[in-house]
Amino acid sequence: MEGMKKVPVREQEALVRAHNFDEVCYGYNMEEATEEAARCIQCKNPRCVKGCPVEIDIPGFIKKITEKDITGAADVIAEASALPAVCGRVCPQETQCEELCIRGVKGEPVSIGKLERFVADYCREQGYAPMKKEPDNGHRVAVIGSGPAGITCAGDLAKLGYKVTIFEALHEPGGVLTYGIPEFRLPKAGVVQPEIDNVRKLGVDIECNVVIGKSVTIDQLMDEEGYEAVFIGSGAGLPKFMGIPGENANGVFSANEFLTRNNLMKAYLDDYATPIFRGRRVVVVGGGNVAMDAARTALRLGAETYIVYRRSEAELPARVEEVEHAKQEGIIFRLLTNPTEIHTDEKGWVTGMTCVEMELGEPDESGRRRPVVKQGSEFTIEADAVIMALGTSPNPLIASTTKNLETDRWKCIVAREEDGQTSREGVFAGGDAVTGAATVILAMQAGRAAARGIHKYLTDTCTIA
């Protein structure tokens, strides 16, 4: 039946892309985008907007595409999002806006994410960036972290006339967009940096190599340097481990370190002086998007790569698209499997891993069936590198150096969901620093909420949509 299926998206062949770091998905061209946009039936009560954490006017920008007014579509998106090229690539649309699309009831939903990406890419190539901005209002705000939460908060405040400075601990801005997500999913120079540059064009200053809590504290920013409000969007970069024997061996990495060295420090390029150990057989422990990213990166570095996950495929938390891409590229999945010990040679290098098979029992507090050990099921996987992709938590440095800043038992900053206000007056927070590791779009949602909260705090009015 006509219009029931999405316009297919062109991709690199799996066996080719498994050996390079070029972007997997090519995206739509103008003809494909307008054809896909024409599938939108322009609902009077668009459920898709309710499914978008930052509430983009989805029918509005898609209608502009059907009219081939791509810069007009960009203007519509810019009212809610500063990172359309990023979100079009990494946002889990299939469980958000596209899940609620009416088209998906009897067919396939409109490819909202791919259309958003098309608009952003087209405008970047044409040199167009939406720049609606109010006059300077004289207020100064500091933003800690240049990831999706910080960039979003800074961009929204800059549009309202605030003088915003972002303080970034690393030597390049972008946060998880730069250090966490691989080049083949999210190109840095071609996609991430241009969107950050668009925020700079709004008047936002970004100071890198500033570690808040070491270089300067939040108390000093507010009490000595004249910032009237602060937003903490420092993310969650402290990796978690299992605590099993052998975990401190040579050749065991956190996914955070492994991906940072490859993505931010370009360890995958031979002409960069930032090498990382390239195993011949690598085991990645975990089942989320970060695990997929680490496994697919290890594969591209030349390793036979396994993913070990203690639940079944139905419980994998990674996006279906990422799991399918990993399988197509040759990643080997060992599901219902849990490591119990890492083995080493006499020099302390990884040689393998003892695992046990698991069975699924009753659901736990997360609603997923709890894995239990299958008795007598021990076996060994030979490997010379292990990557732990078990999640991350916030670094406690900022909270421990800021007066009256409340944290919870997971060391996350306590902040109100509706506006990001923390226990310290004038200090707001959002994203992974508050929730623990989550998605890019949820961090952006928190950044927008905090921008509204800061605006209300400083002016007692709120005009951010």
Side-chain angles (χ1 to χ4, degrees), residues 43-76:
C43 303
K44 291 183 179 179
N45 181 26
R47 302 193 307 175
C48 56
V49 176
K50 296 186 177 85
C52 174
V54 296
E55 299 181 327
I56 293 172
D57 178 4
I58 293 168
F61 93 78
I62 291 179
K63 189 173 190 300
K64 294 288 186 182
I65 297 175
T66 65
E67 299 166 354
K68 295 193 176 180
D69 180 8
I70 311 306
T71 57
D75 289 338
V76 173

Side-chain angles (χ1 to χ4, degrees), residues 24-321:
V24 168
C25 179
Y26 294 130
Y28 286 145
N29 58 29
M30 179 70 79
E31 181 182 355
E32 293 163 339
T34 52
E35 182 183 348
E36 180 61 21
R39 297 182 62 236
C40 175
I41 60 175
Q42 294 292 313
C43 303
K44 291 183 179 179
N45 181 26
R47 302 193 307 175
C48 56
V49 176
K50 296 186 177 85
C52 174
V54 296
E55 299 181 327
I56 293 172
D57 178 4
I58 293 168
F61 93 78
I62 291 179
K63 189 173 190 300
K64 294 288 186 182
I65 297 175
T66 65
E67 299 166 354
K68 295 193 176 180
D69 180 8
I70 311 306
T71 57
D75 289 338
V76 173
I77 294 171
E79 292 174 8
S81 174
L83 299 169
V86 168
C87 288
R89 287 166 165 84
V90 304
C91 185
Q93 294 95 2
E94 67 277 5
T95 59
Q96 294 176 161
C97 54
E98 292 182 15
E99 185 177 51
L100 298 179
C101 176
I102 290 292
R103 272 290 193 187
V105 174
K106 293 184 178 179
E108 293 182 347
V110 174
S111 289
I112 297 167
K114 296 298 189 293
L115 291 175
E116 181 183 17
R117 168 188 167 155
F118 165 75
V119 170
D121 289 356
Y122 177 92
C123 290
R124 182 181 65 250
E125 291 162 7
Q126 299 299 315
Y128 178 78
M131 284 293 126
K132 292 180 181 178
K133 184 179 185 300
E134 294 182 15
D136 290 349
N137 60 25
H139 294 289
R140 297 178 69 206
V141 178
V143 170
I144 314 305
S146 62
I151 287 290
T152 298
C153 183
D156 277 2
L157 289 171
K159 290 175 188 175
L160 290 169
Y162 289 89
K163 181 60 178 173
V164 183
T165 301
I166 297 176
F167 296 97
E168 169 56 49
L170 298 175
H171 62 277
E172 287 186 24
V176 69
L177 307 177
T178 298
Y179 72 75
I181 302 175
E183 192 78 12
F184 54 83
R185 281 219 293 140
L186 189 62
K188 311 308 169 210
V191 174
V192 176
Q193 293 311 315
E195 298 215 316
I196 292 173
D197 288 342
N198 286 342
V199 174
R200 280 191 170 111
K201 291 172 185 175
L202 291 169
V204 174
D205 292 327
I206 302 178
E207 295 188 19
C208 293
N209 301 307
V210 180
V211 181
I212 300 299
K214 289 287 188 182
S215 308
V216 65
T217 66
I218 287 176
D219 296 330
Q220 289 172 322
L221 289 175
M222 300 187 77
D223 299 340
E224 300 173 19
E225 298 197 19
Y227 289 96
E228 299 164 80
V230 174
F231 173 69
I232 303 171
S234 50
L238 194 64
K240 297 177 182 179
F241 290 88
M242 294 185 69
I244 61 175
E247 210 166 30
N248 293 324
N250 297 324
V252 178
F253 303 92
S254 69
N256 198 45
E257 177 192 358
F258 182 76
L259 291 170
T260 297
R261 291 178 71 87
N262 277 282
N263 300 333
L264 175 67
M265 302 170 73
K266 310 300 183 189
Y268 67 92
L269 296 174
D270 292 334
D271 56 347
Y272 272 66
T274 53
I276 194 168
F277 177 66
R278 303 185 180 201
R280 294 181 301 277
R281 178 182 273 196
V282 174
V283 176
V284 178
V285 182
N289 289 325
V290 173
M292 302 302 142
D293 287 344
R296 296 173 69 196
T297 297
L299 180 79
R300 284 160 170 76
L301 293 175
E304 179 183 6
T305 307
Y306 292 75
I307 283 179
V308 168
Y309 179 63
R310 63 184 186 149
R311 290 183 166 96
S312 71
E313 183 166 348
E315 286 80 31
L316 279 170
R319 294 182 68 186
V320 172
E321 178 181 280

Side-chain angles (χ1 to χ4, degrees), residues 205-462:
D205 292 327
I206 302 178
E207 295 188 19
C208 293
N209 301 307
V210 180
V211 181
I212 300 299
K214 289 287 188 182
S215 308
V216 65
T217 66
I218 287 176
D219 296 330
Q220 289 172 322
L221 289 175
M222 300 187 77
D223 299 340
E224 300 173 19
E225 298 197 19
Y227 289 96
E228 299 164 80
V230 174
F231 173 69
I232 303 171
S234 50
L238 194 64
K240 297 177 182 179
F241 290 88
M242 294 185 69
I244 61 175
E247 210 166 30
N248 293 324
N250 297 324
V252 178
F253 303 92
S254 69
N256 198 45
E257 177 192 358
F258 182 76
L259 291 170
T260 297
R261 291 178 71 87
N262 277 282
N263 300 333
L264 175 67
M265 302 170 73
K266 310 300 183 189
Y268 67 92
L269 296 174
D270 292 334
D271 56 347
Y272 272 66
T274 53
I276 194 168
F277 177 66
R278 303 185 180 201
R280 294 181 301 277
R281 178 182 273 196
V282 174
V283 176
V284 178
V285 182
N289 289 325
V290 173
M292 302 302 142
D293 287 344
R296 296 173 69 196
T297 297
L299 180 79
R300 284 160 170 76
L301 293 175
E304 179 183 6
T305 307
Y306 292 75
I307 283 179
V308 168
Y309 179 63
R310 63 184 186 149
R311 290 183 166 96
S312 71
E313 183 166 348
E315 286 80 31
L316 279 170
R319 294 182 68 186
V320 172
E321 178 181 280
E322 301 307 318
V323 174
E324 288 304 312
H325 281 165
K327 287 180 177 179
Q328 292 166 4
E329 292 165 6
I331 305 293
I332 302 164
F333 283 73
R334 297 299 301 262
L335 303 175
L336 289 169
T337 298
N338 204 39
T340 57
E341 183 177 357
I342 296 171
H343 305 293
T344 62
D345 61 18
E346 64 278 3
K347 295 182 179 179
W349 283 90
V350 172
T351 59
M353 173 187 288
T354 296
C355 300
V356 290
E357 294 179 10
M358 309 296 287
E359 297 175 317
L360 293 180
E362 296 301 313
D364 61 15
E365 61 276 3
S366 72
R368 295 180 297 173
R369 294 172 64 193
R370 186 187 302 276
V372 294
V373 176
K374 190 175 180 179
Q375 295 302 315
S377 63
E378 279 194 355
F379 67 97
T380 299
I381 298 177
E382 293 183 3
D384 55 1
V386 174
I387 300 171
M388 294 292 183
L390 304 169
T392 54
S393 59
N395 190 312
L397 177 62
I398 290 177
S400 66
T401 57
T402 304
K403 295 176 185 175
N404 304 319
L405 190 62
E406 183 184 352
T407 58
D408 62 21
R409 62 192 178 101
W410 296 284
K411 307 299 182 185
C412 294
I413 297 168
V414 176
R416 289 197 303 239
E417 184 177 352
E418 63 271 22
D419 62 2
Q421 175 67 60
T422 70
S423 57
R424 167 77 184 269
E425 184 179 351
V427 176
F428 298 74
D432 292 2
V434 171
T435 62
T439 62
V440 167
I441 192 66
L442 291 178
M444 291 173 63
Q445 179 186 42
R448 293 207 82 209
R452 288 193 294 267
I454 290 170
H455 185 48
K456 187 174 191 331
Y457 170 73
L458 292 177
T459 67
D460 203 33
T461 62
C462 185

